Each structure stands twice: as C-alpha cells, then as structure tokens.
Amino acid sequence: MNTVADWDPRSPDMQTDPIGAYDVMRQRCPFAHSDALQLSVLRHADVMRVLMDPETFSNQASRRVSVPNSMDPPEHGLYRSIIEPYFDAMRMAQFAPLCEALCEKLVMQLPMDDEIELMSALAHPFSLQMQCAFLGWPDTMHQPLHQWVRHKNAAVLSGDHDDLAAVAAEFDETIRTLLTSRREAGDEAPDDATTRLMRETVGGRPLTEAEIVNILRNWTVGELGTMASSVGIIADYLATHPQLQQDLRDQPSLIGAANDEILRIHAPLISNRRRATRPVCLGTETLQAGDRLSVIWASANRDEAVFGDPDEFRLDRDPALNLLYGAGIHACPGAPLARLELRAIIETLLSQTIGIARIPGRPPSADTYPSSGYCTVPLHITRRLPKPTTAAPAQPRLQLRCA
C-alpha cells in the first residue's frame, strides 16, 4: 500500500474547518494516506463496503482490546449478546423518566435571558450526569471523568502511545475501585447497570474483572465526548436556523429525526479503525493483510453521490443511509440510549426557551482532533418565564361594618 502522506488530520489547517476540509479531501483524494489514520476511506460507498465485510476488514485494529468493538465473529457475537439488552426498549423506558428529569434540572439552571457558553454550561454537565446516572455511578465521578476525557484526547492528538496507555490505566483503576465497593456491599450493592454487568456470564463463565472494566471503559469513551459534542452541534445549528428551531418547538415529535439529520451534516465522531485480513482491492487502493485503514464518518455522511447537497437539511432521507451510528455487525449498540438522551435534552431546551441565537462576533470555536464539534459555543438564550403556580382559593375576607 502507498505510504506517501496525502494529509495530516491533526494539522492547523484541518482544525480550522474540519468538516469543510473532509469535503475537499473526499473530492480530491477519496482514499487519503496519513501517519495518524493510515488509509482514510472518505466516500460513502467505500465506507459501506468496509462496514459490511467484517471478514475482510477486521475490527482488531487497535493496540488495546476493546470489548466488543475490536473483536470479530464469533467472539464478537458472544459479547454483543450480553451488551445489547442494556439498551433495549424496556431498559430505555425505565431510564427515560430519570433522563428527562436530569434534562429539566440542567436547563432550568440556565439564566433566564443572558449569554452562556453552552459547552461548559450544558453540554458537558449533560453528558457526565447522564453517563453516571445510567451506570449508577456517584456524582463525585463527574469531574474525574471530565478530566480523563481531556487527557485521552490530548494523548490521541499527540500520538504518544505511552500517554494513551497511562490514560487507560488511570481510568481502569478508577473503575476497579467502584467494582470493589460493590463486591464488598454484597446483596446491598445498588441494582444498577454496573452491578448487573458484574453478574453477566459469557461462554458459561463469569465475565472477568478486566472484561467488565473494558466494557465500562468502552461505554464511557463512546458516550462522554460524542454526546457533549452532539449537544453543541445541534444547539448551534438551531441557533443559526430559527425557523427550524420554532418548527421543532411546534412539532416536538420531529426532534429525534432532526437530531439525526443535523448530526449527519456535522458529525460528532470523526472515524473508526479497521485492519485488512487478506490482500484486497478497495477502489484505487490495494491493501495487504495487516494494513490498517480508517472509515471517516465525517466525510461519508456528507457524500454528494448519496445526499446531494450535504448541507441541505431534510427529514425525508432514507435513515439507513445515515452512518451516524455505523452499520453492519458493529453498529453502535448504545444508539437507543444516545437517541433518548439527545431527544430529551433538545426537547427540554426548546420547550423551556423562546429563543436561542448566536452572539454577534462570537462564533463557536472548533474542537481539535480527535474530537469533533466545538470546544466553545457562545449563545444567547431567552428562557420562558415559569408558569405561575395555581393559587389556593381565596378565603372570604372578614367584613367589617362601620357604625
């Protein structure tokens, strides 16, 4: 495979307008080489070919095993069958009331009529509180998790494998402490997703602690950064499209589909890795067994050959074409949870406000690779006045008569 670099996804030029840069790369060089991502696959059809052929394009492409993301069949299916019930319709229905209550609390803490920086005021607290609530983790985990995500992204950006290993070890130790406390509690341990996961079996044996920690790390990595990015992307899009903002207030049943379409236009997740298991031709490229490649969601979901004008917002698109949550056997099992949480926070934000707008002269600032979306989103919000509480029936006044 050709190893001459065509681009650097970490370069300053790429960070200024990453989505626009991926559009240019897709037109100029749909198979692009870089030190960071090896062969990048940018067109929708080529990405779909990779996703739908796991025998040729293996998920075992990372230095660290990720359960079940970096596994192939049949091992992948064994672990996937354990994980999927955590995101089924029953579990989502059970979690929905808590999810909606947390969203209302977060939005009601925003100022009534003022400027905010949405990422720090809402997006990051939202992703941290939702993750801890779903897994049953204490609120004291919010800040350590936020710092951990920052450390992980910095290590990925630098490409320092020692730093990445240290960040992973730091997270693992934190989770082991939580698991130890549940074991010590015995039957008194909280009945939450973490405790239930500790009781799972695979192939007739209990999950090992390393496997439990790995699954929890995988869920957390996939949740925190992308969910915060998603909230920032959607809120800024609505701020620049006031008619859509009002339409969704009037028809909240459309919010879920609108979220998916906005995140197709501006991806919250850049890429995933694969590894060729045999010699194979992919478009103009010839790969050998062991060659690594990356599917670029942020490009494939904007491919003109599939979506026409990639910036056109439409709710009548075929949802199967949207790769927001992947496709094939490795499609994101947590998609139902992500959709529930995003629908709840955006519906709450819209129902509790009468206006969301950008602040003149203060556009959002793009986040840096490997993150997508924005690191800051300055907005002006105008919250609805709280509804007056129904007063108790007035008691008849004592009538005084004057002589």
PDB file of all heavy atoms in Angstrom, residues 146-173:
ATOM      1  N   HIS A 146     -14.493  13.972  33.434  1.00  0.00           N
ATOM      2  CA  HIS A 146     -14.258  15.088  32.506  1.00  0.00           C
ATOM      3  C   HIS A 146     -12.766  15.275  32.266  1.00  0.00           C
ATOM      4  O   HIS A 146     -12.335  15.440  31.109  1.00  0.00           O
ATOM      5  CB  HIS A 146     -14.875  16.366  33.087  1.00  0.00           C
ATOM      6  CG  HIS A 146     -14.772  17.551  32.178  1.00  0.00           C
ATOM      7  ND1 HIS A 146     -15.244  17.551  30.872  1.00  0.00           N
ATOM      8  CD2 HIS A 146     -14.248  18.791  32.376  1.00  0.00           C
ATOM      9  CE1 HIS A 146     -15.019  18.726  30.324  1.00  0.00           C
ATOM     10  NE2 HIS A 146     -14.400  19.501  31.204  1.00  0.00           N
ATOM     11  N   GLN A 147     -11.972  15.218  33.317  1.00  0.00           N
ATOM     12  CA  GLN A 147     -10.528  15.366  33.170  1.00  0.00           C
ATOM     13  C   GLN A 147      -9.942  14.187  32.390  1.00  0.00           C
ATOM     14  O   GLN A 147      -9.028  14.363  31.574  1.00  0.00           O
ATOM     15  CB  GLN A 147      -9.868  15.457  34.548  1.00  0.00           C
ATOM     16  CG  GLN A 147     -10.186  16.746  35.289  1.00  0.00           C
ATOM     17  CD  GLN A 147      -9.689  17.978  34.543  1.00  0.00           C
ATOM     18  OE1 GLN A 147      -8.625  17.973  33.931  1.00  0.00           O
ATOM     19  NE2 GLN A 147     -10.489  19.034  34.580  1.00  0.00           N
ATOM     20  N   TRP A 148     -10.480  13.008  32.623  1.00  0.00           N
ATOM     21  CA  TRP A 148      -9.975  11.834  31.923  1.00  0.00           C
ATOM     22  C   TRP A 148     -10.199  11.941  30.415  1.00  0.00           C
ATOM     23  O   TRP A 148      -9.303  11.612  29.627  1.00  0.00           O
ATOM     24  CB  TRP A 148     -10.650  10.580  32.474  1.00  0.00           C
ATOM     25  CG  TRP A 148     -10.210   9.336  31.777  1.00  0.00           C
ATOM     26  CD1 TRP A 148      -9.025   8.678  31.930  1.00  0.00           C
ATOM     27  CD2 TRP A 148     -10.939   8.612  30.785  1.00  0.00           C
ATOM     28  NE1 TRP A 148      -8.977   7.578  31.093  1.00  0.00           N
ATOM     29  CE2 TRP A 148     -10.141   7.521  30.387  1.00  0.00           C
ATOM     30  CE3 TRP A 148     -12.203   8.775  30.217  1.00  0.00           C
ATOM     31  CZ2 TRP A 148     -10.558   6.607  29.427  1.00  0.00           C
ATOM     32  CZ3 TRP A 148     -12.636   7.865  29.258  1.00  0.00           C
ATOM     33  CH2 TRP A 148     -11.804   6.792  28.872  1.00  0.00           C
ATOM     34  N   VAL A 149     -11.368  12.405  29.999  1.00  0.00           N
ATOM     35  CA  VAL A 149     -11.638  12.571  28.567  1.00  0.00           C
ATOM     36  C   VAL A 149     -10.665  13.573  27.958  1.00  0.00           C
ATOM     37  O   VAL A 149     -10.144  13.368  26.855  1.00  0.00           O
ATOM     38  CB  VAL A 149     -13.101  13.009  28.338  1.00  0.00           C
ATOM     39  CG1 VAL A 149     -13.323  13.403  26.881  1.00  0.00           C
ATOM     40  CG2 VAL A 149     -14.064  11.884  28.721  1.00  0.00           C
ATOM     41  N   ARG A 150     -10.391  14.661  28.672  1.00  0.00           N
ATOM     42  CA  ARG A 150      -9.438  15.667  28.181  1.00  0.00           C
ATOM     43  C   ARG A 150      -8.045  15.063  28.027  1.00  0.00           C
ATOM     44  O   ARG A 150      -7.356  15.297  27.021  1.00  0.00           O
ATOM     45  CB  ARG A 150      -9.405  16.865  29.124  1.00  0.00           C
ATOM     46  CG  ARG A 150     -10.690  17.693  29.119  1.00  0.00           C
ATOM     47  CD  ARG A 150     -10.681  18.728  30.239  1.00  0.00           C
ATOM     48  NE  ARG A 150      -9.592  19.662  30.074  1.00  0.00           N
ATOM     49  CZ  ARG A 150      -9.687  20.800  29.384  1.00  0.00           C
ATOM     50  NH1 ARG A 150     -10.824  21.123  28.783  1.00  0.00           N
ATOM     51  NH2 ARG A 150      -8.655  21.609  29.293  1.00  0.00           N
ATOM     52  N   HIS A 151      -7.623  14.271  29.011  1.00  0.00           N
ATOM     53  CA  HIS A 151      -6.303  13.641  28.939  1.00  0.00           C
ATOM     54  C   HIS A 151      -6.239  12.651  27.768  1.00  0.00           C
ATOM     55  O   HIS A 151      -5.234  12.580  27.054  1.00  0.00           O
ATOM     56  CB  HIS A 151      -5.992  12.913  30.256  1.00  0.00           C
ATOM     57  CG  HIS A 151      -5.829  13.830  31.417  1.00  0.00           C
ATOM     58  ND1 HIS A 151      -5.903  13.384  32.728  1.00  0.00           N
ATOM     59  CD2 HIS A 151      -5.598  15.165  31.480  1.00  0.00           C
ATOM     60  CE1 HIS A 151      -5.733  14.417  33.539  1.00  0.00           C
ATOM     61  NE2 HIS A 151      -5.553  15.490  32.808  1.00  0.00           N
ATOM     62  N   LYS A 152      -7.325  11.888  27.583  1.00  0.00           N
ATOM     63  CA  LYS A 152      -7.343  10.908  26.496  1.00  0.00           C
ATOM     64  C   LYS A 152      -7.227  11.600  25.139  1.00  0.00           C
ATOM     65  O   LYS A 152      -6.436  11.179  24.278  1.00  0.00           O
ATOM     66  CB  LYS A 152      -8.630  10.087  26.542  1.00  0.00           C
ATOM     67  CG  LYS A 152      -8.783   9.093  25.389  1.00  0.00           C
ATOM     68  CD  LYS A 152     -10.153   8.480  25.359  1.00  0.00           C
ATOM     69  CE  LYS A 152     -11.211   9.451  24.917  1.00  0.00           C
ATOM     70  NZ  LYS A 152     -11.102   9.812  23.477  1.00  0.00           N
ATOM     71  N   ASN A 153      -7.990  12.650  24.932  1.00  0.00           N
ATOM     72  CA  ASN A 153      -7.952  13.350  23.651  1.00  0.00           C
ATOM     73  C   ASN A 153      -6.586  13.970  23.393  1.00  0.00           C
ATOM     74  O   ASN A 153      -6.089  13.954  22.260  1.00  0.00           O
ATOM     75  CB  ASN A 153      -9.037  14.426  23.601  1.00  0.00           C
ATOM     76  CG  ASN A 153     -10.430  13.844  23.481  1.00  0.00           C
ATOM     77  OD1 ASN A 153     -10.592  12.674  23.127  1.00  0.00           O
ATOM     78  ND2 ASN A 153     -11.445  14.640  23.760  1.00  0.00           N
ATOM     79  N   ALA A 154      -5.962  14.507  24.429  1.00  0.00           N
ATOM     80  CA  ALA A 154      -4.627  15.084  24.269  1.00  0.00           C
ATOM     81  C   ALA A 154      -3.616  14.006  23.890  1.00  0.00           C
ATOM     82  O   ALA A 154      -2.733  14.230  23.045  1.00  0.00           O
ATOM     83  CB  ALA A 154      -4.203  15.785  25.556  1.00  0.00           C
ATOM     84  N   ALA A 155      -3.763  12.826  24.466  1.00  0.00           N
ATOM     85  CA  ALA A 155      -2.842  11.732  24.150  1.00  0.00           C
ATOM     86  C   ALA A 155      -3.038  11.252  22.717  1.00  0.00           C
ATOM     87  O   ALA A 155      -2.073  10.942  22.009  1.00  0.00           O
ATOM     88  CB  ALA A 155      -3.044  10.587  25.132  1.00  0.00           C
ATOM     89  N   VAL A 156      -4.303  11.178  22.262  1.00  0.00           N
ATOM     90  CA  VAL A 156      -4.575  10.773  20.878  1.00  0.00           C
ATOM     91  C   VAL A 156      -4.006  11.802  19.911  1.00  0.00           C
ATOM     92  O   VAL A 156      -3.394  11.463  18.890  1.00  0.00           O
ATOM     93  CB  VAL A 156      -6.089  10.591  20.644  1.00  0.00           C
ATOM     94  CG1 VAL A 156      -6.378  10.358  19.160  1.00  0.00           C
ATOM     95  CG2 VAL A 156      -6.611   9.415  21.466  1.00  0.00           C
ATOM     96  N   LEU A 157      -4.197  13.084  20.220  1.00  0.00           N
ATOM     97  CA  LEU A 157      -3.692  14.147  19.347  1.00  0.00           C
ATOM     98  C   LEU A 157      -2.175  14.092  19.237  1.00  0.00           C
ATOM     99  O   LEU A 157      -1.612  14.261  18.154  1.00  0.00           O
ATOM    100  CB  LEU A 157      -4.133  15.513  19.878  1.00  0.00           C
ATOM    101  CG  LEU A 157      -3.673  16.740  19.095  1.00  0.00           C
ATOM    102  CD1 LEU A 157      -4.224  16.702  17.669  1.00  0.00           C
ATOM    103  CD2 LEU A 157      -4.109  18.025  19.794  1.00  0.00           C
ATOM    104  N   SER A 158      -1.502  13.809  20.346  1.00  0.00           N
ATOM    105  CA  SER A 158      -0.039  13.766  20.326  1.00  0.00           C
ATOM    106  C   SER A 158       0.491  12.493  19.686  1.00  0.00           C
ATOM    107  O   SER A 158       1.630  12.443  19.228  1.00  0.00           O
ATOM    108  CB  SER A 158       0.508  13.876  21.755  1.00  0.00           C
ATOM    109  OG  SER A 158       0.216  12.695  22.499  1.00  0.00           O
ATOM    110  N   GLY A 159      -0.347  11.447  19.665  1.00  0.00           N
ATOM    111  CA  GLY A 159       0.099  10.161  19.117  1.00  0.00           C
ATOM    112  C   GLY A 159       1.059   9.427  20.024  1.00  0.00           C
ATOM    113  O   GLY A 159       1.723   8.486  19.595  1.00  0.00           O
ATOM    114  N   ASP A 160       1.121   9.835  21.300  1.00  0.00           N
ATOM    115  CA  ASP A 160       2.040   9.218  22.253  1.00  0.00           C
ATOM    116  C   ASP A 160       1.396   7.966  22.839  1.00  0.00           C
ATOM    117  O   ASP A 160       0.469   8.050  23.649  1.00  0.00           O
ATOM    118  CB  ASP A 160       2.376  10.220  23.369  1.00  0.00           C
ATOM    119  CG  ASP A 160       3.501   9.728  24.269  1.00  0.00           C
ATOM    120  OD1 ASP A 160       3.486   8.543  24.645  1.00  0.00           O
ATOM    121  OD2 ASP A 160       4.393  10.541  24.602  1.00  0.00           O
ATOM    122  N   HIS A 161       1.897   6.790  22.458  1.00  0.00           N
ATOM    123  CA  HIS A 161       1.296   5.537  22.911  1.00  0.00           C
ATOM    124  C   HIS A 161       1.490   5.307  24.397  1.00  0.00           C
ATOM    125  O   HIS A 161       0.644   4.694  25.058  1.00  0.00           O
ATOM    126  CB  HIS A 161       1.860   4.367  22.104  1.00  0.00           C
ATOM    127  CG  HIS A 161       1.559   4.443  20.637  1.00  0.00           C
ATOM    128  ND1 HIS A 161       0.267   4.451  20.152  1.00  0.00           N
ATOM    129  CD2 HIS A 161       2.382   4.527  19.553  1.00  0.00           C
ATOM    130  CE1 HIS A 161       0.301   4.524  18.828  1.00  0.00           C
ATOM    131  NE2 HIS A 161       1.568   4.575  18.446  1.00  0.00           N
ATOM    132  N   ASP A 162       2.591   5.804  24.961  1.00  0.00           N
ATOM    133  CA  ASP A 162       2.800   5.669  26.402  1.00  0.00           C
ATOM    134  C   ASP A 162       1.761   6.481  27.170  1.00  0.00           C
ATOM    135  O   ASP A 162       1.230   6.033  28.197  1.00  0.00           O
ATOM    136  CB  ASP A 162       4.206   6.117  26.787  1.00  0.00           C
ATOM    137  CG  ASP A 162       5.275   5.159  26.274  1.00  0.00           C
ATOM    138  OD1 ASP A 162       4.948   3.981  26.025  1.00  0.00           O
ATOM    139  OD2 ASP A 162       6.439   5.595  26.127  1.00  0.00           O
ATOM    140  N   ASP A 163       1.465   7.694  26.674  1.00  0.00           N
ATOM    141  CA  ASP A 163       0.446   8.514  27.319  1.00  0.00           C
ATOM    142  C   ASP A 163      -0.923   7.849  27.229  1.00  0.00           C
ATOM    143  O   ASP A 163      -1.703   7.864  28.187  1.00  0.00           O
ATOM    144  CB  ASP A 163       0.387   9.899  26.672  1.00  0.00           C
ATOM    145  CG  ASP A 163       1.487  10.815  27.176  1.00  0.00           C
ATOM    146  OD1 ASP A 163       2.213  10.419  28.100  1.00  0.00           O
ATOM    147  OD2 ASP A 163       1.623  11.927  26.627  1.00  0.00           O
ATOM    148  N   LEU A 164      -1.218   7.270  26.066  1.00  0.00           N
ATOM    149  CA  LEU A 164      -2.506   6.587  25.903  1.00  0.00           C
ATOM    150  C   LEU A 164      -2.636   5.434  26.885  1.00  0.00           C
ATOM    151  O   LEU A 164      -3.695   5.224  27.489  1.00  0.00           O
ATOM    152  CB  LEU A 164      -2.651   6.085  24.463  1.00  0.00           C
ATOM    153  CG  LEU A 164      -3.038   7.121  23.412  1.00  0.00           C
ATOM    154  CD1 LEU A 164      -2.881   6.549  22.009  1.00  0.00           C
ATOM    155  CD2 LEU A 164      -4.477   7.570  23.626  1.00  0.00           C
ATOM    156  N   ALA A 165      -1.561   4.661  27.043  1.00  0.00           N
ATOM    157  CA  ALA A 165      -1.585   3.551  27.983  1.00  0.00           C
ATOM    158  C   ALA A 165      -1.777   4.043  29.413  1.00  0.00           C
ATOM    159  O   ALA A 165      -2.511   3.442  30.203  1.00  0.00           O
ATOM    160  CB  ALA A 165      -0.298   2.739  27.864  1.00  0.00           C
ATOM    161  N   ALA A 166      -1.136   5.156  29.752  1.00  0.00           N
ATOM    162  CA  ALA A 166      -1.266   5.707  31.099  1.00  0.00           C
ATOM    163  C   ALA A 166      -2.683   6.203  31.359  1.00  0.00           C
ATOM    164  O   ALA A 166      -3.229   6.020  32.456  1.00  0.00           O
ATOM    165  CB  ALA A 166      -0.262   6.846  31.294  1.00  0.00           C
ATOM    166  N   VAL A 167      -3.283   6.837  30.348  1.00  0.00           N
ATOM    167  CA  VAL A 167      -4.660   7.324  30.490  1.00  0.00           C
ATOM    168  C   VAL A 167      -5.611   6.150  30.691  1.00  0.00           C
ATOM    169  O   VAL A 167      -6.519   6.195  31.536  1.00  0.00           O
ATOM    170  CB  VAL A 167      -5.063   8.150  29.250  1.00  0.00           C
ATOM    171  CG1 VAL A 167      -6.567   8.400  29.230  1.00  0.00           C
ATOM    172  CG2 VAL A 167      -4.320   9.475  29.229  1.00  0.00           C
ATOM    173  N   ALA A 168      -5.426   5.086  29.910  1.00  0.00           N
ATOM    174  CA  ALA A 168      -6.273   3.898  30.059  1.00  0.00           C
ATOM    175  C   ALA A 168      -6.114   3.276  31.445  1.00  0.00           C
ATOM    176  O   ALA A 168      -7.096   2.883  32.083  1.00  0.00           O
ATOM    177  CB  ALA A 168      -5.939   2.880  28.973  1.00  0.00           C
ATOM    178  N   ALA A 169      -4.879   3.202  31.922  1.00  0.00           N
ATOM    179  CA  ALA A 169      -4.630   2.623  33.245  1.00  0.00           C
ATOM    180  C   ALA A 169      -5.274   3.469  34.348  1.00  0.00           C
ATOM    181  O   ALA A 169      -5.810   2.933  35.330  1.00  0.00           O
ATOM    182  CB  ALA A 169      -3.124   2.509  33.482  1.00  0.00           C
ATOM    183  N   GLU A 170      -5.234   4.789  34.173  1.00  0.00           N
ATOM    184  CA  GLU A 170      -5.856   5.692  35.140  1.00  0.00           C
ATOM    185  C   GLU A 170      -7.363   5.432  35.233  1.00  0.00           C
ATOM    186  O   GLU A 170      -7.938   5.332  36.322  1.00  0.00           O
ATOM    187  CB  GLU A 170      -5.592   7.141  34.726  1.00  0.00           C
ATOM    188  CG  GLU A 170      -6.304   8.188  35.572  1.00  0.00           C
ATOM    189  CD  GLU A 170      -6.192   9.586  34.967  1.00  0.00           C
ATOM    190  OE1 GLU A 170      -5.465   9.753  33.959  1.00  0.00           O
ATOM    191  OE2 GLU A 170      -6.851  10.494  35.507  1.00  0.00           O
ATOM    192  N   PHE A 171      -8.004   5.288  34.078  1.00  0.00           N
ATOM    193  CA  PHE A 171      -9.437   5.018  34.066  1.00  0.00           C
ATOM    194  C   PHE A 171      -9.730   3.659  34.685  1.00  0.00           C
ATOM    195  O   PHE A 171     -10.656   3.513  35.500  1.00  0.00           O
ATOM    196  CB  PHE A 171      -9.970   5.074  32.636  1.00  0.00           C
ATOM    197  CG  PHE A 171     -11.444   4.761  32.529  1.00  0.00           C
ATOM    198  CD1 PHE A 171     -12.383   5.760  32.684  1.00  0.00           C
ATOM    199  CD2 PHE A 171     -11.875   3.468  32.282  1.00  0.00           C
ATOM    200  CE1 PHE A 171     -13.741   5.475  32.605  1.00  0.00           C
ATOM    201  CE2 PHE A 171     -13.232   3.170  32.194  1.00  0.00           C
ATOM    202  CZ  PHE A 171     -14.155   4.178  32.355  1.00  0.00           C
ATOM    203  N   ASP A 172      -8.953   2.662  34.297  1.00  0.00           N
ATOM    204  CA  ASP A 172      -9.206   1.304  34.783  1.00  0.00           C
ATOM    205  C   ASP A 172      -9.138   1.236  36.302  1.00  0.00           C
ATOM    206  O   ASP A 172      -9.942   0.553  36.943  1.00  0.00           O
ATOM    207  CB  ASP A 172      -8.197   0.330  34.174  1.00  0.00           C
ATOM    208  CG  ASP A 172      -8.417   0.137  32.673  1.00  0.00           C
ATOM    209  OD1 ASP A 172      -9.354   0.761  32.130  1.00  0.00           O
ATOM    210  OD2 ASP A 172      -7.650  -0.623  32.057  1.00  0.00           O
ATOM    211  N   GLU A 173      -8.186   1.937  36.885  1.00  0.00           N
ATOM    212  CA  GLU A 173      -8.044   1.902  38.343  1.00  0.00           C
ATOM    213  C   GLU A 173      -9.264   2.535  39.015  1.00  0.00           C
ATOM    214  O   GLU A 173      -9.752   2.045  40.050  1.00  0.00           O
ATOM    215  CB  GLU A 173      -6.769   2.647  38.757  1.00  0.00           C
ATOM    216  CG  GLU A 173      -6.475   2.571  40.245  1.00  0.00           C
ATOM    217  CD  GLU A 173      -6.339   1.140  40.746  1.00  0.00           C
ATOM    218  OE1 GLU A 173      -5.844   0.273  39.977  1.00  0.00           O
ATOM    219  OE2 GLU A 173      -6.748   0.878  41.899  1.00  0.00           O
TER     220      GLU A 173
END
